[in-house]
Amino acid sequence: MSPAAAFSALLRGPPAQRGRRLLVAAARAHSTAGGSRARGGLPRFHAPTLPSSKGEVVRIQGDEFWHMARVLRLGVNDRVELFDGVGGLVEGSIQTVDKGGSDVELLEDSRLIAPQGIQWHVYAAFGTLKGGRADWLVEKCTELGACSVTPLLTERCHTITENRVDRLQRLVLAAVKQCQRIHGMLLNPPIQITDLQPAVSQSKLAFLASAESPPVLSILPKSCNEERGLLIVGPEGDFTEKEVNVLKSAGAVPVGLGPCRLRVETATVALLSALMLWSDAHRQEILKCS
C-alpha cells in the first residue's frame, strides 16, 4: 500500500477508532525514526571540556544527562558522541549512571574538526525588538550555522541592554547543544556602523538587505573561494540614507529579499538561509570535483 493510501485508510472509520489508529501510526513512525538514527549515527551530547586521550572519562550532568538517561534512556555500555562546541568531537561509551550524572569513557583520541565552507557573520540591528523576537533571531541564526552574530547600533537602534546580551549568550549555548553544532556561534558585543566599515571593506562577500534592490540569488557569484562573508540587516524603520551610503561606500552590496516588507528577524533569517544554502551547494560541488 502506498503512503497516501495508508494515510487515507487511517482517516476512515469512527472518530475514536481513527484516533487510536493515528496514535499507533505515530508510534511506529517514531520507532522507525529512532532506528534510523541509531543506524546513521550515534546520539551526540555536549561536554564543555573534552579530554584528549582514549580511556579518559567525562562526567555528563545537567540537561545533557537528563536527555541522555531520561529521554533517550541510554545506559551502561551504550555508545555516544561528545562535542565541546569549538570543534572537538569524540566517541565514547557510558560506564556508569547514577542520580547525578553519567560517566563516559573515551573510545578514541578526541578529534578537532575544522569549520567547513564559508563562515557567515551576521550584523543585525535588533536591539529594540520586543516580545522575544530578538531571542528568536539569535536562536535561528545559531541553528542555521552562522559563525557569529553582532548587534548593530544605528540611529534608529542606538542601544541594547547588558542583561539582554547575557540572556542571548545563554540562548546561544542552548541552541548550540540542541542542534548539535560541532562549532559554537559567537555573540559579539554591539558595534556602531563606523566600526563595521573595516570588516565590510576587507570582505568580498558583504551583503546589505535593502528594499528595491536586485534579488539576492541574482547577485551571488557563479564561483567563490572566500572563507568568510557578511550579511547586514537594518533596524525597524531601516537604515538612514546616510548609513546606507556609508556601508555601500565600504563595499556592501545591496540585495533584495522579495516583494514583501520584512521584519528585522525575518529578513535576517531569510538572507542567512539563502546564503547558507548557496554556499553549502557550492561546497558540495567543489567536493565532487576534487
Side-chain angles (χ1 to χ4, degrees), residues 12 24 28 58 66 80 84 140 147 196 199:
R12 292 195 291 267
V24 170
R28 287 176 178 168
V58 181
W66 176 267
V80 298
D84 59 9
K140 299 312 167 190
C147 183
L196 178 57

Side-chain angles (χ1 to χ4, degrees), residues 111-154:
R111 296 164 283 155
L112 187 62
I113 310 297
Q116 302 293 314
I118 299 172
Q119 303 302 293
W120 292 104
H121 299 267
V122 176
Y123 295 86
F126 59 84
T128 57
L129 300 186
K130 295 181 174 25
R133 291 164 56 196
D135 294 1
W136 188 86
L137 182 153
V138 170
E139 180 182 69
K140 299 312 167 190
C141 285
T142 307
E143 292 178 8
L144 286 168
C147 183
S148 72
V149 168
T150 305
L152 195 55
L153 303 181
T154 70

Side-chain angles (χ1 to χ4, degrees), residues 15-57:
Q17 184 179 6
R18 183 166 67 241
R20 286 194 295 272
R21 287 174 178 172
L22 288 171
L23 285 173
V24 170
R28 287 176 178 168
H30 178 76
S31 175
T32 301
S36 175
R37 177 190 57 75
R39 290 192 299 272
L42 299 174
R44 186 178 293 170
F45 302 93
H46 179 259
T49 303
L50 285 182
S52 59
S53 302
K54 176 180 177 180
E56 296 189 72
V57 174

Side-chain angles (χ1 to χ4, degrees), residues 210-238:
S210 179
E212 300 181 0
S213 297
V216 59
L217 295 182
S218 69
I219 294 295
L220 296 173
K222 298 292 184 184
S223 61
C224 178
N225 296 319
E226 296 299 308
E227 295 182 351
R228 68 191 303 270
L230 281 62
L231 57 113
I232 308 164
V233 180
E236 294 181 314
D238 212 343

Side-chain angles (χ1 to χ4, degrees), residues 175-191:
V176 165
K177 295 195 304 185
Q178 189 278 329
C179 65
Q180 300 184 346
R181 286 181 54 156
I182 300 299
H183 299 85
M185 190 189 77
L186 182 63
L187 182 65
N188 292 316
I191 65 169

